[in-house]
Amino acid sequence: MKISLRMRLTASYVLVTIVCVFLISILMNALLEKQFRLYTIHNQELSNQEMLNLIKNQYNNGSWNHDVIENIGIGYLERGMIIKVSDVHNRIIWDAAVHNNGLCKQMLDDMSKNMNKYYPNWSGKYKTKSYPVYHDESKIGTVIVGYYGPFYYNNTDIGFIYTLKNRILIFAFIFSLFFAQIMGIFMAQILSRPIARVVRAAESISKGYFKNRVDEKSNTKEIYILISTINNMAKTLESHKVLKERMSDDIAHELRTPLATLQSHMEAMIDGIWEPDKKRLQSYYEEIIRITSLVNQLGMLGKYQNSKLNRIKYDLCEQIKNVIFNFQAEFKNKEVRIKFHGNKCYISAEKDKISQVIVNLMSNALKYTPKGGIVIINLKGTSNTAEISVKDTGIGISDDDIPFIFDRFYRADKSRNRLTGGNGIGLAITKTIVELHGGKIIVKSRVNEGSEFVVSLPINI
Ligand code: ADP
């Protein structure tokens, strides 16, 4: 069974409250009792001192005022103190036990019962404390105070402790439970609302609605990260979807025209309108070769976009020299000169892919440079990058075209490109490979003056 966040939070708050109230009640019991006991003992001593002062004041010119002492004794007897006053010769002036022994016994009995009622293990008993009484620094008598000890709680004290311990705790407990529930619901609301929205958005994204975004704001770090992650995921999926759709459109568009032309020409031959002569067949054959190369290059682009690198350490200079060597005949045929400047430069990269980059740039340079032109290749190595520049004196690229030449199927001059056999994929592949290696490719060009493509690759040794 899945438990909702709201339920979980409320339950945990309630649990924390119960534990806290329980701990507080234990602490309160222990501390409160102890403090109150000390307070009562201290109070008893204060009462004793107060009573002593009252009795002391009844001594005048060597004699005691018996009547007032009796009144004081009765007063204190009613408060639970059994007093016995004697003079300096130990002659009894007043004794509560003599005055009303029954009442004394009754009182001690009540006290014992009272204490035992609230504290069943109580071990209190009758205690006495003797105080000498002085007048002008000479002893004039003794007061013995008897009380129920070590301490005694009267009904008011017990009522006070009971209220503090039980009523306040019960009230605090009920209030905390109520507050915990409110807090649980409130916190769950704060946490679950954005999560619920994220869930809804994730559900619709999983159904293919990649345009959906979570517009919920949250100050909770984890929820903020979750929202950003879901939104980024939706953005990536959306761009992949757009890319896929555009790719399908582009491919259909690129293939439809030549295939339709081939189809109509073939139909004309089948219907006997055109003769299937060698020249026509040759032209169709070349078109088929072009379409095949387009399909192959598309396959390559798709493969590169999703591939992992198989890096090895090798000399880039040596690799460029080899590619130049393989191109020599083509350059010579077109009467375009080729020059290379560069020294040993070791990089860690996937050799075949980098080879593809050099081939693409060199074949473009050759393709778009007229007879008599020159292509200069430079290799510069620094401590952390290798820079390959392929510069030609060709037709150049207009400022309007430059931002798009790395896009798939983009051709600066479609009519001319069809003649040169270009299909606008070479630079897209080149850029993909360079970026896969963590590098960059830029182009500087002027129409009718030439172009320079510069590839920077991290050495990654
Ligand atoms: P293509 O197969 O058409 O050459 P690319 O992706 O290699 O495809 O190049 C895209 C476009 O960029 C080309 O059609 C061309 O217009 C332009 N271009 C690329 N390299 C050069 C260059 N060295 N000189 C002039 N234009 C170039």
Side-chain angles (χ1 to χ4, degrees):
M1 194 184 78
K2 300 277 178 270
I3 303 167
S4 72
L5 188 64
R6 185 176 163 160
M7 186 68 201
R8 211 172 264 270
L9 272 175
T10 312
S12 45
Y13 274 106
V14 168
L15 189 76
V16 169
T17 310
I18 292 173
V19 172
C20 283
V21 171
F22 180 69
L23 287 177
I24 290 172
S25 72
I26 292 178
L27 273 176
M28 230 171 136
N29 264 327
L31 284 176
L32 191 91
E33 282 276 359
K34 195 176 158 206
Q35 286 305 317
F36 198 72
R37 223 166 268 185
L38 290 174
Y39 165 79
T40 322
I41 293 169
H42 178 69
N43 247 4
Q44 177 72 53
E45 189 55 39
L46 281 182
S47 286
N48 293 355
Q49 290 302 330
E50 186 191 326
M51 176 269 298
L52 273 181
N53 274 335
L54 281 176
I55 290 177
K56 193 171 128 186
N57 289 339
Q58 306 318 314
Y59 182 77
N60 203 1
N61 287 331
S63 67
W64 292 93
N65 188 338
H66 288 243
D67 293 342
V68 179
I69 290 177
E70 182 171 350
N71 282 340
I72 295 171
I74 295 169
Y76 277 95
L77 182 62
E78 281 159 8
R79 284 166 62 185
M81 286 158 71
I82 298 160
I83 297 165
K84 182 178 172 184
V85 185
S86 47
D87 66 9
V88 72
H89 307 294
N90 271 341
R91 284 188 301 246
I92 306 259
I93 298 170
W94 190 79
D95 187 348
V98 174
H99 172 77
N100 192 342
N101 193 32
L103 180 64
C104 290
K105 278 201 169 142
Q106 176 66 39
M107 236 172 45
L108 288 172
D109 236 37
D110 288 351
M111 283 174 168
S112 164
K113 273 191 199 144
N114 222 9
M115 287 303 275
N116 276 301
K117 184 171 161 197
Y118 294 100
Y119 303 94
N121 301 323
W122 184 245
S123 60
K125 55 180 185 290
Y126 180 68
K127 286 197 161 198
T128 55
K129 207 165 178 184
S130 172
Y131 297 92
V133 185
Y134 291 94
H135 180 74
D136 292 340
E137 291 181 7
S138 47
K139 193 176 170 188
I140 52 166
T142 309
V143 176
I144 297 170
V145 187
Y147 56 93
Y148 189 80
F151 61 93
Y152 166 69
Y153 293 156
N154 59 29
N155 284 341
T156 321
D157 296 337
I158 286 171
F160 173 73
I161 291 190
Y162 178 79
T163 310
L164 218 64
K165 266 170 42 181
N166 298 337
R167 286 227 204 123
I168 290 182
L169 269 183
I170 289 170
F171 180 73
F173 183 63
I174 293 170
F175 178 76
S176 309
L177 272 189
F178 176 71
F179 188 65
Q181 268 194 354
I182 302 275
M183 270 310 278
I185 293 168
F186 176 68
M187 285 308 290
Q189 196 86 0
I190 288 184
L191 291 175
S192 67
R193 200 183 48 212
I195 294 178
R197 290 232 185 168
V198 173
V199 169
R200 277 202 296 278
E203 270 168 7
S204 71
I205 290 166
S206 73
K207 285 177 190 150
Y209 300 105
F210 301 139
K211 276 199 184 331
N212 281 7
R213 298 284 185 277
V214 188
D215 51 8
E216 186 75 26
K217 305 265 174 293
S218 175
N219 292 332
T220 313
K221 195 176 160 196
E222 286 78 6
I223 295 179
Y224 174 79
I225 295 173
L226 179 67
I227 292 173
S228 330
T229 312
I230 289 283
N231 282 343
N232 285 341
M233 188 184 82
K235 206 164 132 192
T236 311
L237 288 171
E238 191 188 0
S239 69
H240 275 143
K241 191 182 169 206
V242 169
L243 219 71
K244 228 167 95 183
E245 284 166 0
R246 232 187 68 199
M247 180 129 175
S248 312
D249 282 356
D250 287 352
I251 294 169
H253 180 259
E254 284 299 313
L255 293 178
R256 198 181 298 119
T257 319
L259 286 176
T261 316
L262 272 178
Q263 186 185 342
S264 63
H265 288 191
M266 290 290 194
E267 277 167 6
M269 282 187 191
I270 292 164
D271 293 345
I273 301 167
W274 280 355
E275 276 297 308
D277 59 42
K278 195 177 173 190
K279 198 176 150 208
R280 282 201 175 106
L281 287 174
Q282 180 68 33
S283 135
Y284 301 159
Y285 176 71
E286 278 167 15
E287 194 60 16
I288 290 169
I289 296 278
R290 204 184 72 77
I291 295 170
T292 312
S293 127
L294 170 71
V295 171
N296 286 342
Q297 278 192 296
L298 277 173
M300 214 183 284
L301 181 63
K303 198 177 86 192
Y304 288 169
Q305 269 166 348
N306 301 311
S307 76
K308 282 207 167 67
L309 288 176
N310 203 358
R311 292 180 191 262
I312 54 160
K313 186 181 162 188
Y314 67 92
D315 181 14
L316 189 57
C317 179
E318 193 63 38
Q319 186 180 29
I320 296 174
K321 280 182 186 163
N322 285 340
V323 178
I324 293 175
F325 181 77
N326 292 337
F327 263 100
Q328 247 172 2
E330 287 177 54
F331 271 84
K332 204 167 175 193
N333 288 345
K334 201 176 169 186
E335 293 179 32
V336 174
R337 279 181 299 147
I338 183 158
K339 273 194 179 170
F340 172 65
H341 305 290
N343 298 312
K344 272 192 186 311
C345 174
Y346 281 89
I347 63 164
S348 170
E350 187 165 328
K351 204 170 174 182
D352 289 349
K353 288 191 174 125
I354 298 298
S355 209
Q356 183 75 51
V357 168
I358 305 163
V359 168
N360 285 359
L361 294 179
M362 270 173 62
S363 65
N364 274 355
L366 176 63
K367 204 161 29 172
Y368 301 110
T369 303
K371 180 177 160 184
I374 181 164
V375 173
I376 301 166
I377 299 164
N378 261 302
L379 171 65
K380 257 194 312 195
T382 66
S383 57
N384 43 24
T385 46
E387 201 176 272
I388 311 161
S389 137
V390 181
K391 190 174 179 184
D392 63 52
T393 54
I395 59 171
I397 309 163
S398 75
D399 287 347
D400 291 343
D401 288 322
I402 281 184
F404 307 106
I405 55 164
F406 293 103
D407 288 355
R408 215 176 34 228
F409 298 123
Y410 192 83
R411 293 179 291 246
D413 180 343
K414 299 214 176 199
S415 54
R416 186 175 48 210
N417 267 274
R418 206 163 271 288
L419 296 176
T420 54
N423 50 34
I425 298 178
L427 283 182
I429 292 179
T430 306
K431 192 172 179 227
T432 305
I433 297 175
V434 171
E435 285 177 353
L436 208 61
H437 281 83
K440 264 192 331 207
I441 179 163
I442 55 161
V443 58
K444 298 173 226 165
S445 186
R446 271 173 178 264
V447 175
N448 294 330
E449 284 184 22
S451 313
E452 182 183 11
F453 285 84
V454 182
V455 171
S456 314
L457 291 169
I459 286 180
N460 261 325
I461 295 291

